[in-house]
Amino acid sequence: MKKLLTLLTGISLSLIVNGQNNLVTKEQTFIHETSKEYEWPTDPSVLEKIEKWQDAKFGIMFHWGIYSVPGIAESWALCSEDRWFTDRRREALPGSTYCEFKKWYWGLSESFKPSRFEPTEWATFMKKVGFRYLIFTTKHHDGFCMFDSKYTDYTVTKGPYKKGKYSNITYHVFEAFRKSDFMIGAYFSKPDWHNENYWDPFFATPTRNPNYDLKKYPEKWAKYQEYTANQIDELMSDYGKIDILWLDGGWVRKPQQDIKLDEIVQNARKKQPGLITVDRTIPGRNENYQTPEQAIPQEQQNFPWESCITFSNTWGWNPNPKYKTSEWVINTLAEVVAKGGCLLLNVGPDGEGNIDDIVYQRLEKVGEWLHKNGTAIYDTRTTPNYHSGNTWFTANKNGKTLYAIYALPENEKLPAYIEWEGNIPTGKITLLQNGQQMKYTCRNGKTRITLPKGIKEESLVFHFNKAKR
């Protein structure tokens, strides 16, 4: 019997992380709402894969496509329904009409030639700094395929990069990250605005939805259903082992826009047993984990979920990025894991395949912290008393050994002591990074640790066994 969980505590999402950063910026255009129900999978192989994914905790996401050439907000400027999208068009191509803009945008495919793209360098670095799974944009809403699809000519393998060293970009990204022991996830947009059976070029495109009456033209929609199924089948058949199918475009759903996803997933799992499917924002059998976007649930959740958050102020690359700090990433990772989730951090390479130097510099610091303290993050599970002040708690799988992660607020110095309420320790408390035993006292349900002098100014992790009740 399927287990359907109504989320009573997770409906409201915090847009403030660690009391400091508002995650939704004016540069970002559309934020998907999170599902309010969760249905546990029944397939044992899927449950096993979810367990493995929950061990990984930290994922890297790449939004990369033709929008990276000028550095605009992904596909969204093509959509005429929202004022923000209109502003993006005006900024990207001043003085243009909507039709002129669309022609210009579609033509960006002729400028996408990432001659500096080196997938092995990406994978090697991202492994070194602590990421353990990958989500890569194989196709965004604009329909441009970052893989070699035989069902359209609008692909990277048929553009100016067709003779490039890594022309089938998705294949080479997946191969490089798979060799670095990453779980592999394929982002795929269910809507495809370039496809004539989604946006018919004969009609105007007033919204993000199909621009024709599906009931009036059922044969067109049937062709689109087949097109979508065929492209997903390509990804499941020709790109090695895939762990996650990450589906975006939550407005494409039953009954209005039925793409026969149940059949697609069933066929996909014949080739990719245990495949995790993430049909974002649509509760049910195909949303195997939830994806609060640019947000973290206010409370701990007892089902699989992932916060997908940008490292800069946009999903794709932009020429004037505002990157979050290393400390922000570390503290956010601690909060997400303590609440039972995984953190998917997004980076946008530019049109040539470069990743900004500041990304490497700041993630290097995250990797240094995880090298010392990763035991408190990876392979852990939640503990009921998971938060006290600036301290977040995780547990190893036996539930007896706890980790207290003191998230040092940005631009602050370590205090003379750290104190938390609950989770009373028994025996010694050690500093995880070096095994140093800490002096502490317990009084009135509170634990106070006196910090030694000379300790580095950073988020600290303490390791201890919890006292039995």
Short mmCIF file of all heavy atoms in Angstrom, two decimals, residues 146-204:
data_model
loop_
_atom_site.label_atom_id
_atom_site.label_comp_id
_atom_site.label_asym_id
_atom_site.label_seq_id
_atom_site.Cartn_x
_atom_site.Cartn_y
_atom_site.Cartn_z
N MET A 146 21.90 19.78 -25.17
CA MET A 146 23.33 19.66 -24.89
C MET A 146 23.78 18.21 -25.08
O MET A 146 24.80 17.79 -24.54
CB MET A 146 23.62 20.13 -23.47
CG MET A 146 23.28 21.59 -23.23
SD MET A 146 24.44 22.73 -24.00
CE MET A 146 25.77 22.70 -22.79
N PHE A 147 23.00 17.46 -25.85
CA PHE A 147 23.33 16.08 -26.18
C PHE A 147 22.97 15.84 -27.64
O PHE A 147 22.31 16.66 -28.27
CB PHE A 147 22.60 15.10 -25.25
CG PHE A 147 21.10 15.12 -25.35
CD1 PHE A 147 20.42 14.16 -26.07
CD2 PHE A 147 20.35 16.10 -24.69
CE1 PHE A 147 19.03 14.17 -26.16
CE2 PHE A 147 18.96 16.12 -24.76
CZ PHE A 147 18.31 15.15 -25.51
N ASP A 148 23.40 14.70 -28.16
CA ASP A 148 23.24 14.41 -29.58
C ASP A 148 21.90 13.74 -29.83
O ASP A 148 21.80 12.51 -29.86
CB ASP A 148 24.39 13.51 -30.05
CG ASP A 148 24.37 13.29 -31.55
OD1 ASP A 148 23.79 14.14 -32.26
OD2 ASP A 148 24.93 12.29 -32.00
N SER A 149 20.86 14.54 -30.00
CA SER A 149 19.53 13.99 -30.24
C SER A 149 19.26 13.87 -31.74
O SER A 149 19.48 14.80 -32.50
CB SER A 149 18.46 14.90 -29.62
OG SER A 149 17.17 14.40 -29.90
N LYS A 150 18.76 12.71 -32.14
CA LYS A 150 18.43 12.52 -33.55
C LYS A 150 17.03 13.00 -33.88
O LYS A 150 16.59 12.90 -35.03
CB LYS A 150 18.58 11.05 -33.92
CG LYS A 150 17.65 10.09 -33.19
CD LYS A 150 17.96 8.65 -33.57
CE LYS A 150 17.09 7.67 -32.82
NZ LYS A 150 17.44 6.26 -33.12
N TYR A 151 16.32 13.54 -32.88
CA TYR A 151 14.94 13.96 -33.09
C TYR A 151 14.80 15.47 -33.32
O TYR A 151 13.70 15.98 -33.46
CB TYR A 151 14.07 13.51 -31.92
CG TYR A 151 14.06 12.02 -31.78
CD1 TYR A 151 14.84 11.38 -30.82
CD2 TYR A 151 13.31 11.22 -32.64
CE1 TYR A 151 14.85 10.00 -30.71
CE2 TYR A 151 13.31 9.84 -32.53
CZ TYR A 151 14.09 9.23 -31.57
OH TYR A 151 14.11 7.86 -31.47
N THR A 152 15.93 16.17 -33.34
CA THR A 152 15.93 17.60 -33.62
C THR A 152 17.30 18.01 -34.13
O THR A 152 18.31 17.35 -33.83
CB THR A 152 15.59 18.42 -32.36
OG1 THR A 152 15.62 19.81 -32.67
CG2 THR A 152 16.57 18.16 -31.23
N ASP A 153 17.34 19.08 -34.90
CA ASP A 153 18.61 19.65 -35.33
C ASP A 153 19.10 20.73 -34.38
O ASP A 153 20.20 21.26 -34.57
CB ASP A 153 18.48 20.25 -36.74
CG ASP A 153 18.31 19.17 -37.81
OD1 ASP A 153 18.77 18.04 -37.58
OD2 ASP A 153 17.72 19.47 -38.86
N TYR A 154 18.28 21.04 -33.39
CA TYR A 154 18.63 22.11 -32.46
C TYR A 154 19.46 21.55 -31.31
O TYR A 154 19.01 21.43 -30.17
CB TYR A 154 17.36 22.79 -31.96
CG TYR A 154 17.58 24.20 -31.45
CD1 TYR A 154 18.22 25.16 -32.21
CD2 TYR A 154 17.10 24.57 -30.19
CE1 TYR A 154 18.41 26.45 -31.75
CE2 TYR A 154 17.27 25.86 -29.71
CZ TYR A 154 17.93 26.80 -30.49
OH TYR A 154 18.11 28.08 -30.02
N THR A 155 20.69 21.13 -31.64
CA THR A 155 21.57 20.50 -30.66
C THR A 155 22.98 21.03 -30.79
O THR A 155 23.38 21.55 -31.84
CB THR A 155 21.63 18.97 -30.86
OG1 THR A 155 22.44 18.68 -32.00
CG2 THR A 155 20.25 18.36 -31.07
N VAL A 156 23.75 20.84 -29.73
CA VAL A 156 25.14 21.28 -29.74
C VAL A 156 25.96 20.51 -30.75
O VAL A 156 26.95 21.02 -31.30
CB VAL A 156 25.73 21.14 -28.32
CG1 VAL A 156 25.82 19.68 -27.88
CG2 VAL A 156 27.08 21.82 -28.22
N THR A 157 25.56 19.28 -31.07
CA THR A 157 26.32 18.46 -32.01
C THR A 157 26.05 18.80 -33.47
O THR A 157 26.67 18.23 -34.37
CB THR A 157 26.02 16.97 -31.79
OG1 THR A 157 24.60 16.75 -31.92
CG2 THR A 157 26.48 16.51 -30.43
N LYS A 158 25.13 19.72 -33.72
CA LYS A 158 24.85 20.15 -35.09
C LYS A 158 25.13 21.65 -35.28
O LYS A 158 24.82 22.22 -36.32
CB LYS A 158 23.39 19.84 -35.46
CG LYS A 158 23.09 18.33 -35.44
CD LYS A 158 21.64 18.06 -35.78
CE LYS A 158 21.34 16.56 -35.79
NZ LYS A 158 21.33 15.95 -34.48
N GLY A 159 25.74 22.27 -34.26
CA GLY A 159 26.09 23.68 -34.33
C GLY A 159 27.58 23.86 -34.61
O GLY A 159 28.26 22.94 -35.06
N PRO A 160 28.11 25.05 -34.32
CA PRO A 160 29.52 25.34 -34.63
C PRO A 160 30.51 24.51 -33.81
O PRO A 160 31.69 24.45 -34.16
CB PRO A 160 29.65 26.83 -34.31
CG PRO A 160 28.53 27.12 -33.36
CD PRO A 160 27.41 26.23 -33.77
N TYR A 161 30.03 23.85 -32.74
CA TYR A 161 30.92 23.02 -31.92
C TYR A 161 30.84 21.54 -32.34
O TYR A 161 31.37 20.67 -31.65
CB TYR A 161 30.54 23.18 -30.45
CG TYR A 161 31.52 22.58 -29.47
CD1 TYR A 161 32.86 22.97 -29.45
CD2 TYR A 161 31.11 21.63 -28.54
CE1 TYR A 161 33.76 22.43 -28.55
CE2 TYR A 161 32.00 21.08 -27.63
CZ TYR A 161 33.33 21.48 -27.64
OH TYR A 161 34.22 20.94 -26.74
N LYS A 162 30.21 21.25 -33.45
CA LYS A 162 29.96 19.86 -33.84
C LYS A 162 31.26 19.07 -34.05
O LYS A 162 31.25 17.84 -33.94
CB LYS A 162 29.10 19.81 -35.09
CG LYS A 162 29.69 20.45 -36.33
CD LYS A 162 28.70 20.44 -37.48
CE LYS A 162 29.23 21.15 -38.71
NZ LYS A 162 28.21 21.19 -39.79
N LYS A 163 32.34 19.75 -34.37
CA LYS A 163 33.62 19.06 -34.54
C LYS A 163 34.53 19.27 -33.33
O LYS A 163 35.72 18.94 -33.39
CB LYS A 163 34.31 19.55 -35.81
CG LYS A 163 33.56 19.17 -37.09
CD LYS A 163 34.32 19.60 -38.33
CE LYS A 163 33.56 19.19 -39.60
NZ LYS A 163 34.28 19.61 -40.83
N GLY A 164 33.96 19.81 -32.27
CA GLY A 164 34.74 20.03 -31.06
C GLY A 164 35.15 18.73 -30.39
O GLY A 164 34.56 17.67 -30.62
N LYS A 165 36.14 18.82 -29.54
CA LYS A 165 36.69 17.65 -28.85
C LYS A 165 35.64 16.93 -28.03
O LYS A 165 35.64 15.70 -27.93
CB LYS A 165 37.85 18.10 -27.97
CG LYS A 165 38.59 16.96 -27.28
CD LYS A 165 39.75 17.51 -26.47
CE LYS A 165 40.52 16.39 -25.77
NZ LYS A 165 41.65 16.93 -24.96
N TYR A 166 34.73 17.69 -27.44
CA TYR A 166 33.69 17.12 -26.58
C TYR A 166 32.30 17.53 -27.09
O TYR A 166 31.45 17.98 -26.33
CB TYR A 166 33.86 17.60 -25.14
CG TYR A 166 35.25 17.41 -24.58
CD1 TYR A 166 36.08 18.52 -24.36
CD2 TYR A 166 35.74 16.15 -24.27
CE1 TYR A 166 37.36 18.36 -23.84
CE2 TYR A 166 37.01 15.98 -23.75
CZ TYR A 166 37.82 17.09 -23.54
OH TYR A 166 39.08 16.92 -23.01
N SER A 167 32.08 17.39 -28.39
CA SER A 167 30.87 17.95 -29.00
C SER A 167 29.59 17.42 -28.36
O SER A 167 28.63 18.17 -28.17
CB SER A 167 30.86 17.71 -30.50
OG SER A 167 30.85 16.32 -30.79
N ASN A 168 29.55 16.14 -28.03
CA ASN A 168 28.39 15.60 -27.32
C ASN A 168 28.59 15.87 -25.84
O ASN A 168 28.98 15.00 -25.05
CB ASN A 168 28.24 14.11 -27.60
CG ASN A 168 26.91 13.55 -27.12
OD1 ASN A 168 26.15 14.24 -26.45
ND2 ASN A 168 26.62 12.31 -27.48
N ILE A 169 28.32 17.10 -25.46
CA ILE A 169 28.71 17.61 -24.15
C ILE A 169 28.18 16.76 -23.01
O ILE A 169 28.91 16.41 -22.07
CB ILE A 169 28.26 19.08 -24.00
CG1 ILE A 169 29.19 19.98 -24.83
CG2 ILE A 169 28.25 19.51 -22.55
CD1 ILE A 169 28.80 21.43 -24.85
N THR A 170 26.91 16.42 -23.05
CA THR A 170 26.32 15.64 -21.95
C THR A 170 27.06 14.32 -21.76
O THR A 170 27.34 13.92 -20.62
CB THR A 170 24.83 15.38 -22.22
OG1 THR A 170 24.13 16.63 -22.18
CG2 THR A 170 24.23 14.44 -21.20
N TYR A 171 27.36 13.66 -22.86
CA TYR A 171 28.06 12.38 -22.76
C TYR A 171 29.39 12.55 -22.02
O TYR A 171 29.72 11.76 -21.11
CB TYR A 171 28.31 11.81 -24.15
CG TYR A 171 29.08 10.51 -24.14
CD1 TYR A 171 28.43 9.30 -23.98
CD2 TYR A 171 30.47 10.51 -24.27
CE1 TYR A 171 29.13 8.10 -23.94
CE2 TYR A 171 31.19 9.32 -24.23
CZ TYR A 171 30.52 8.12 -24.07
OH TYR A 171 31.22 6.94 -24.02
N HIS A 172 30.15 13.56 -22.38
CA HIS A 172 31.48 13.74 -21.80
C HIS A 172 31.40 14.23 -20.36
O HIS A 172 32.24 13.86 -19.53
CB HIS A 172 32.30 14.68 -22.67
CG HIS A 172 32.65 14.09 -24.00
ND1 HIS A 172 33.57 13.08 -24.16
CD2 HIS A 172 32.17 14.35 -25.25
CE1 HIS A 172 33.66 12.75 -25.44
NE2 HIS A 172 32.82 13.50 -26.12
N VAL A 173 30.41 15.05 -20.04
CA VAL A 173 30.22 15.47 -18.64
C VAL A 173 29.90 14.24 -17.79
O VAL A 173 30.50 14.02 -16.73
CB VAL A 173 29.10 16.52 -18.53
CG1 VAL A 173 28.70 16.73 -17.07
CG2 VAL A 173 29.55 17.84 -19.13
N PHE A 174 28.94 13.45 -18.25
CA PHE A 174 28.55 12.27 -17.48
C PHE A 174 29.72 11.30 -17.31
O PHE A 174 29.94 10.76 -16.22
CB PHE A 174 27.38 11.56 -18.15
CG PHE A 174 26.05 12.26 -17.99
CD1 PHE A 174 24.92 11.80 -18.65
CD2 PHE A 174 25.92 13.37 -17.17
CE1 PHE A 174 23.70 12.43 -18.50
CE2 PHE A 174 24.70 14.02 -17.01
CZ PHE A 174 23.58 13.55 -17.68
N GLU A 175 30.47 11.07 -18.38
CA GLU A 175 31.60 10.15 -18.31
C GLU A 175 32.66 10.63 -17.31
O GLU A 175 33.17 9.85 -16.50
CB GLU A 175 32.24 9.99 -19.70
CG GLU A 175 31.55 8.98 -20.58
CD GLU A 175 31.73 7.56 -20.09
OE1 GLU A 175 32.84 7.02 -20.20
OE2 GLU A 175 30.74 6.99 -19.57
N ALA A 176 32.98 11.91 -17.38
CA ALA A 176 34.03 12.44 -16.50
C ALA A 176 33.61 12.36 -15.04
O ALA A 176 34.40 11.96 -14.17
CB ALA A 176 34.34 13.89 -16.89
N PHE A 177 32.38 12.73 -14.75
CA PHE A 177 31.93 12.72 -13.36
C PHE A 177 31.69 11.30 -12.87
O PHE A 177 31.91 10.99 -11.69
CB PHE A 177 30.68 13.59 -13.20
CG PHE A 177 31.00 15.05 -13.06
CD1 PHE A 177 31.25 15.83 -14.18
CD2 PHE A 177 31.06 15.65 -11.82
CE1 PHE A 177 31.55 17.17 -14.07
CE2 PHE A 177 31.36 17.00 -11.69
CZ PHE A 177 31.62 17.77 -12.81
N ARG A 178 31.25 10.42 -13.75
CA ARG A 178 31.07 9.01 -13.36
C ARG A 178 32.42 8.40 -12.98
O ARG A 178 32.52 7.63 -12.00
CB ARG A 178 30.42 8.25 -14.50
CG ARG A 178 29.88 6.88 -14.11
CD ARG A 178 29.25 6.19 -15.30
NE ARG A 178 28.03 6.86 -15.74
CZ ARG A 178 27.88 7.47 -16.91
NH1 ARG A 178 28.89 7.51 -17.77
NH2 ARG A 178 26.73 8.03 -17.24
N LYS A 179 33.46 8.71 -13.74
CA LYS A 179 34.80 8.20 -13.43
C LYS A 179 35.33 8.75 -12.10
O LYS A 179 36.22 8.16 -11.50
CB LYS A 179 35.77 8.55 -14.56
CG LYS A 179 35.53 7.74 -15.83
CD LYS A 179 36.47 8.15 -16.94
CE LYS A 179 36.20 7.35 -18.21
NZ LYS A 179 37.08 7.79 -19.34
N SER A 180 34.77 9.86 -11.67
CA SER A 180 35.14 10.44 -10.36
C SER A 180 34.17 10.02 -9.27
O SER A 180 34.11 10.66 -8.22
CB SER A 180 35.21 11.97 -10.47
OG SER A 180 36.30 12.38 -11.27
N ASP A 181 33.41 8.96 -9.53
CA ASP A 181 32.54 8.32 -8.53
C ASP A 181 31.34 9.17 -8.13
O ASP A 181 30.83 9.04 -7.01
CB ASP A 181 33.34 7.94 -7.28
CG ASP A 181 34.46 6.95 -7.60
OD1 ASP A 181 34.22 6.05 -8.41
OD2 ASP A 181 35.56 7.10 -7.04
N PHE A 182 30.87 10.03 -9.02
CA PHE A 182 29.67 10.81 -8.75
C PHE A 182 28.43 9.99 -9.11
O PHE A 182 28.44 9.20 -10.06
CB PHE A 182 29.65 12.08 -9.60
CG PHE A 182 30.45 13.22 -9.04
CD1 PHE A 182 31.84 13.15 -8.97
CD2 PHE A 182 29.83 14.37 -8.60
CE1 PHE A 182 32.58 14.20 -8.47
CE2 PHE A 182 30.56 15.43 -8.10
CZ PHE A 182 31.94 15.35 -8.03
N MET A 183 27.34 10.20 -8.37
CA MET A 183 26.04 9.80 -8.87
C MET A 183 25.67 10.77 -9.98
O MET A 183 25.94 11.98 -9.88
CB MET A 183 25.00 9.84 -7.75
CG MET A 183 25.24 8.85 -6.63
SD MET A 183 23.91 8.87 -5.38
CE MET A 183 22.59 8.02 -6.27
N ILE A 184 25.05 10.27 -11.05
CA ILE A 184 24.82 11.07 -12.24
C ILE A 184 23.34 11.39 -12.38
O ILE A 184 22.49 10.50 -12.38
CB ILE A 184 25.30 10.32 -13.50
CG1 ILE A 184 26.79 9.97 -13.39
CG2 ILE A 184 25.03 11.15 -14.75
CD1 ILE A 184 27.70 11.17 -13.23
N GLY A 185 23.05 12.70 -12.54
CA GLY A 185 21.68 13.15 -12.70
C GLY A 185 21.51 13.96 -13.98
O GLY A 185 22.31 14.85 -14.28
N ALA A 186 20.45 13.64 -14.73
CA ALA A 186 20.14 14.35 -15.97
C ALA A 186 18.97 15.29 -15.75
O ALA A 186 17.84 14.85 -15.54
CB ALA A 186 19.82 13.34 -17.07
N TYR A 187 19.24 16.59 -15.78
CA TYR A 187 18.17 17.59 -15.81
C TYR A 187 17.57 17.57 -17.22
O TYR A 187 18.29 17.58 -18.22
CB TYR A 187 18.76 18.98 -15.51
CG TYR A 187 17.82 20.14 -15.75
CD1 TYR A 187 17.36 20.91 -14.68
CD2 TYR A 187 17.42 20.52 -17.04
CE1 TYR A 187 16.52 22.00 -14.90
CE2 TYR A 187 16.57 21.58 -17.26
CZ TYR A 187 16.13 22.32 -16.20
OH TYR A 187 15.29 23.39 -16.41
N PHE A 188 16.23 17.57 -17.29
CA PHE A 188 15.55 17.58 -18.58
C PHE A 188 14.29 18.41 -18.46
O PHE A 188 13.49 18.21 -17.53
CB PHE A 188 15.20 16.15 -19.01
CG PHE A 188 14.56 16.04 -20.37
CD1 PHE A 188 15.34 15.93 -21.50
CD2 PHE A 188 13.18 16.06 -20.51
CE1 PHE A 188 14.75 15.82 -22.77
CE2 PHE A 188 12.58 15.96 -21.75
CZ PHE A 188 13.38 15.85 -22.89
N SER A 189 14.11 19.34 -19.38
CA SER A 189 12.92 20.20 -19.37
C SER A 189 11.77 19.51 -20.09
O SER A 189 11.89 19.16 -21.27
CB SER A 189 13.23 21.54 -20.04
OG SER A 189 12.04 22.29 -20.24
N LYS A 190 10.65 19.34 -19.40
CA LYS A 190 9.47 18.76 -20.05
C LYS A 190 8.88 19.69 -21.10
O LYS A 190 8.51 19.23 -22.18
CB LYS A 190 8.42 18.40 -18.98
CG LYS A 190 8.86 17.28 -18.06
CD LYS A 190 7.78 16.93 -17.04
CE LYS A 190 7.54 18.06 -16.07
NZ LYS A 190 6.51 17.70 -15.05
N PRO A 191 8.79 20.99 -20.85
CA PRO A 191 8.39 21.89 -21.94
C PRO A 191 9.56 22.15 -22.88
O PRO A 191 10.71 22.18 -22.44
CB PRO A 191 7.98 23.18 -21.21
CG PRO A 191 8.77 23.16 -19.95
CD PRO A 191 8.90 21.72 -19.57
N ASP A 192 9.28 22.30 -24.15
CA ASP A 192 10.31 22.60 -25.14
C ASP A 192 9.75 23.68 -26.06
O ASP A 192 8.96 23.41 -26.97
CB ASP A 192 10.65 21.33 -25.94
CG ASP A 192 11.79 21.54 -26.92
OD1 ASP A 192 11.90 22.65 -27.49
OD2 ASP A 192 12.56 20.59 -27.15
N TRP A 193 10.16 24.92 -25.83
CA TRP A 193 9.59 26.05 -26.54
C TRP A 193 10.05 26.13 -28.00
O TRP A 193 9.47 26.86 -28.79
CB TRP A 193 9.91 27.35 -25.81
CG TRP A 193 9.26 27.44 -24.46
CD1 TRP A 193 8.13 26.80 -24.05
CD2 TRP A 193 9.69 28.22 -23.35
NE1 TRP A 193 7.83 27.13 -22.75
CE2 TRP A 193 8.78 28.01 -22.29
CE3 TRP A 193 10.76 29.09 -23.13
CZ2 TRP A 193 8.89 28.63 -21.05
CZ3 TRP A 193 10.88 29.71 -21.88
CH2 TRP A 193 9.96 29.48 -20.86
N HIS A 194 11.09 25.41 -28.34
CA HIS A 194 11.58 25.42 -29.72
C HIS A 194 10.84 24.41 -30.59
O HIS A 194 10.83 24.53 -31.82
CB HIS A 194 13.09 25.12 -29.75
CG HIS A 194 13.73 25.34 -31.07
ND1 HIS A 194 13.91 24.34 -32.00
CD2 HIS A 194 14.24 26.48 -31.64
CE1 HIS A 194 14.50 24.82 -33.06
NE2 HIS A 194 14.72 26.12 -32.88
N ASN A 195 10.21 23.43 -29.96
CA ASN A 195 9.53 22.38 -30.71
C ASN A 195 8.19 22.87 -31.23
O ASN A 195 7.39 23.42 -30.48
CB ASN A 195 9.34 21.15 -29.82
CG ASN A 195 8.78 19.98 -30.58
OD1 ASN A 195 7.57 19.88 -30.80
ND2 ASN A 195 9.65 19.08 -30.98
N GLU A 196 7.93 22.67 -32.51
CA GLU A 196 6.72 23.19 -33.15
C GLU A 196 5.44 22.54 -32.61
O GLU A 196 4.35 23.07 -32.83
CB GLU A 196 6.79 22.99 -34.65
CG GLU A 196 6.82 21.54 -35.09
CD GLU A 196 6.92 21.38 -36.58
OE1 GLU A 196 7.11 22.40 -37.28
OE2 GLU A 196 6.81 20.24 -37.06
N ASN A 197 5.58 21.43 -31.91
CA ASN A 197 4.40 20.79 -31.34
C ASN A 197 4.19 21.19 -29.88
O ASN A 197 3.27 20.67 -29.22
CB ASN A 197 4.51 19.27 -31.47
CG ASN A 197 4.44 18.83 -32.92
OD1 ASN A 197 3.52 19.22 -33.64
ND2 ASN A 197 5.42 18.06 -33.35
N TYR A 198 5.02 22.11 -29.39
CA TYR A 198 4.75 22.73 -28.09
C TYR A 198 4.41 24.21 -28.31
O TYR A 198 3.35 24.67 -27.93
CB TYR A 198 5.94 22.58 -27.15
CG TYR A 198 5.54 22.85 -25.70
CD1 TYR A 198 5.05 21.82 -24.90
CD2 TYR A 198 5.62 24.13 -25.15
CE1 TYR A 198 4.65 22.07 -23.59
CE2 TYR A 198 5.23 24.38 -23.86
CZ TYR A 198 4.74 23.35 -23.08
OH TYR A 198 4.33 23.60 -21.78
N TRP A 199 5.32 24.92 -28.96
CA TRP A 199 5.02 26.28 -29.42
C TRP A 199 4.95 26.25 -30.94
O TRP A 199 5.98 26.21 -31.62
CB TRP A 199 6.11 27.25 -28.96
CG TRP A 199 5.90 27.86 -27.62
CD1 TRP A 199 4.93 27.57 -26.71
CD2 TRP A 199 6.73 28.88 -27.02
NE1 TRP A 199 5.08 28.33 -25.57
CE2 TRP A 199 6.17 29.14 -25.73
CE3 TRP A 199 7.85 29.57 -27.42
CZ2 TRP A 199 6.74 30.09 -24.86
CZ3 TRP A 199 8.41 30.51 -26.56
CH2 TRP A 199 7.85 30.77 -25.30
N ASP A 200 3.75 26.25 -31.47
CA ASP A 200 3.57 26.25 -32.92
C ASP A 200 3.96 27.63 -33.46
O ASP A 200 3.41 28.65 -33.03
CB ASP A 200 2.11 25.94 -33.27
CG ASP A 200 1.88 25.71 -34.75
OD1 ASP A 200 2.50 26.43 -35.57
OD2 ASP A 200 1.08 24.82 -35.08
N PRO A 201 4.91 27.72 -34.40
CA PRO A 201 5.36 29.02 -34.92
C PRO A 201 4.28 29.81 -35.65
O PRO A 201 4.45 31.01 -35.90
CB PRO A 201 6.51 28.65 -35.86
CG PRO A 201 6.29 27.22 -36.21
CD PRO A 201 5.65 26.60 -35.01
N PHE A 202 3.15 29.18 -35.95
CA PHE A 202 2.06 29.88 -36.63
C PHE A 202 1.29 30.78 -35.67
O PHE A 202 0.66 31.74 -36.09
CB PHE A 202 1.12 28.86 -37.27
CG PHE A 202 0.01 29.48 -38.10
CD1 PHE A 202 0.28 30.02 -39.35
CD2 PHE A 202 -1.29 29.55 -37.61
CE1 PHE A 202 -0.74 30.59 -40.10
CE2 PHE A 202 -2.31 30.12 -38.36
CZ PHE A 202 -2.03 30.64 -39.61
N PHE A 203 1.37 30.46 -34.36
CA PHE A 203 0.61 31.20 -33.36
C PHE A 203 1.53 32.04 -32.48
O PHE A 203 2.74 31.81 -32.40
CB PHE A 203 -0.19 30.24 -32.48
CG PHE A 203 -1.14 29.36 -33.24
CD1 PHE A 203 -0.94 27.98 -33.30
CD2 PHE A 203 -2.24 29.88 -33.90
CE1 PHE A 203 -1.81 27.16 -33.99
CE2 PHE A 203 -3.12 29.08 -34.60
CZ PHE A 203 -2.90 27.70 -34.65
N ALA A 204 0.93 33.02 -31.79
CA ALA A 204 1.67 33.80 -30.80
C ALA A 204 1.98 32.92 -29.59
O ALA A 204 1.37 31.86 -29.39
CB ALA A 204 0.85 35.02 -30.39
#
